[in-house]
Structure formats: structure tokens, C-alpha cells
Amino acid sequence: MYWVTPRHLAGDDGVLAERIGDTLTGLGWRMWPTSRNTLLYVSPDGLRGAEWILAAYPFELGGLPVAWQLSARPQAASALTEWNAYFTAGVPHEVLADLLLALDACATPDAGFEGAESVLTALGARGWWRDRDRPGTTATDPGFSASVSLESLPPLIHDADPRDDLLGWQAWAEPVLGAPYLWCASFSASVPHELVAAFAFSLAAPGPVPRRRLPEGAEDRLTVVHRS
């Protein structure tokens, strides 16, 4: 067992489905297998959803298949979601679990009250730097291996707002410049900024995390704090 930093380069240890499934079950979310070989979790009030969609291979972000899709709707009976967020394999499971805890605690998961600045403030509190050219939209870790940025939405990112000129938060880890991404995340335009801030604050957490294996391509960028 390795205890490593930084968290954003630690990978998912190959247990992203299991760890997030355990988190959702612990929160009382119900789970159904679907005909697409996915696993759909729904919160007790029916307003929040999370789906393990890796087997369906719906699309890619940064050349990586999307593994989890989160969503929220204004009413349990609504067929349409207000917003969606997508995460590829490789995203640290601790970060996604913290986001789900924040989502579960929201009284109104389909609407937010904070501004975009809250995301950058959360990252700044953890020592991330604002981009010199885009200080109001982008922050990067001190090692320049991960970024969180308010960008034009990639294709296939679904949101209740149909306009095509909307911005949404995007996050990614690139251990070596020009090398393949370790993981990517995309939040549609209507995702509440406070939820993205919860994701960002967890992503930039300084403490070591346990891993049984180190992610390929990021080994040289990780610091092993302890072996057990």
C-alpha cells in the first residue's frame, strides 16, 4: 500500500465503481441495473441521480471513456434533468465521493446560489494558482499538472439550457505536458457553482491518499509519503 500526494494525480486505484457505489449505498440511494449494462443510482427523494456508464461507453472526454454521470432534476417526476456532470475513469474516487456528499446534502440540487468565483476561491485556499491570462476562469495546481477552467462545453454534454454558447466547468489532469490525460471531468452549464467548488476543494486537498497501485504515466510526478 502506498500513501501518495498529490491527490489529483493519484488515479482511481481501479476501484472507482466499487468505492462510489459504496458511498451511494451508504447515503441510502437505490440502485438498478439497466438494459445498457449500466448501474443507475437514485437518491431517496428522486431528485439526484448517478450512473456508472463505463460499460455502455457513451462517449469520451480527452480521449478517455466516461465512467460516471451525475444529474439533478427539479421534480422527481420530471423526465428531463436540469444538469449533468461527467467523469472519466482515473478520477480520484475520494474527490467524486466528496462531490456526491455535497450533492446529497443540497436542499435544491437543481439550482445554485454561489457565483463562479467560489470555485476559484476554493482552489486558491488550497494553494492553486490562477492563470495569469485568465484569472477569472482558470486555476492550475502549483506543479502545472492539473487545471480547473470555465470553458465552452465539449460535444454531448447535456443541459436543460439549450443554448450553444454556454460555459461549463472542465477539469483534467495531464501528468506530462502533451502526454495522455490521466482523467477528465465536465460539468454542464447549469451545475451549481457550489457543487463544482466542493469538487475542486477536494481535488486540491493536500493530504496523502492510499493506493495499491500507481497510475501509469503519473508515477514520476507522485510523492510516496509512506509505504505499508
Side-chain angles (χ1 to χ4, degrees):
M1 178 74 74
Y2 303 94
W3 290 81
V4 302
T5 62
R7 175 181 286 194
H8 62 265
L9 293 179
D12 63 11
D13 215 17
V15 293
L16 187 60
E18 294 84 352
R19 292 295 175 85
I20 299 307
D22 290 345
T23 297
L24 294 167
T25 299
L27 292 171
W29 291 35
R30 296 164 292 166
M31 187 274 284
W32 296 271
T34 74
S35 61
R36 298 183 297 124
N37 296 317
T38 70
L39 299 177
L40 175 63
Y41 294 80
V42 178
S43 62
D45 61 9
L47 299 180
R48 290 150 262 246
E51 190 171 7
W52 173 255
I53 56 177
L54 186 60
Y57 209 108
F59 63 94
E60 295 182 347
L61 291 173
L64 299 171
V66 173
W68 279 100
Q69 177 180 348
L70 309 187
S71 61
R73 61 191 74 238
Q75 298 177 358
S78 174
L80 299 178
T81 57
E82 189 69 18
W83 57 258
N84 292 275
Y86 307 84
F87 306 86
T88 70
V91 67
H93 53 78
E94 295 91 349
V95 181
L96 191 50
D98 285 343
L99 172 58
L100 283 163
L101 291 173
L103 174 60
D104 187 75
C106 282
T108 55
D110 62 310
F113 304 97
E114 300 284 344
E117 181 66 20
S118 62
V119 177
L120 300 172
T121 298
L123 291 168
R126 296 291 206 189
W128 284 37
W129 299 340
R130 296 195 186 216
D131 186 273
R132 180 178 299 178
D133 297 324
R134 297 182 295 171
T137 60
T138 305
T140 305
D141 79 288
F144 297 101
S145 58
S147 297
V148 177
S149 185
L150 193 60
E151 306 270 356
S152 298
L153 294 174
L156 304 178
I157 303 301
H158 297 291
D159 193 87
D161 192 325
R163 291 176 293 173
D164 58 8
D165 59 346
L166 298 174
L167 304 179
W169 288 102
Q170 316 299 312
W172 63 90
E174 187 179 15
V176 178
L177 186 62
Y181 293 111
L182 178 59
W183 58 264
C184 297
S186 183
F187 299 83
S188 75
S190 298
V191 177
H193 295 297
E194 49 262 48
L195 288 178
V196 184
F199 172 88
F201 195 66
S202 179
L203 180 67
V209 292
R211 293 293 185 268
R212 296 188 180 277
R213 61 186 185 187
L214 303 182
E216 184 178 351
E219 304 97 322
D220 294 340
R221 300 299 305 274
L222 289 169
T223 297
V224 178
V225 177
H226 177 67
R227 288 185 175 91
S228 59

